Amino acid sequence: MRLRVEFTTEPFDLEEAPAHAVAAREVIQKAQLDAVDVGPFGNTAEGGSEEVLAAVADLLRDALGSGATRVSLQVNVLPEGER
């Protein structure tokens, strides 16, 4: 099964990326995921279910540990064959 995760961390800082946002992005970029897209207002990544779920656990731990007060995320099952 393939999954897509979309997430944001708060609080926002429009001047520079907060430590919690950087930590979450680093987790996703280092994970064995594909279709990674990081941006100022949201981030997405896709991959196998085990890889995505492991990355989600790591990003929650690291983002909250780096000062995030909220992490919003959505995980979707991708239709068979979609990339």
Side-chain angles (χ1 to χ4, degrees):
M1 173 184 345
R2 288 185 51 80
L3 302 176
R4 174 183 296 131
V5 61
E6 302 175 46
F7 69 93
T8 59
T9 61
E10 295 179 41
F12 296 112
D13 182 343
L14 297 177
E15 299 292 320
E16 64 181 271
H20 57 81
V22 172
R25 290 179 191 154
E26 286 177 354
V27 167
I28 291 298
Q29 290 174 324
K30 290 178 184 176
Q32 297 296 317
L33 303 176
D34 42 64
V36 174
D37 182 26
V38 297
F41 301 109
N43 308 279
T44 62
E46 297 176 7
S49 61
E50 293 300 317
E51 293 80 10
V52 170
L53 295 174
V56 166
D58 290 343
L59 89 82
L60 288 170
R61 187 178 305 107
D62 288 5
L64 295 170
S66 296
T69 57
R70 177 184 298 197
V71 178
S72 300
L73 65 90
Q74 178 174 304
V75 178
N76 294 314
V77 176
L78 296 175
E80 194 70 31
E82 183 176 320
R83 266 192 174 253

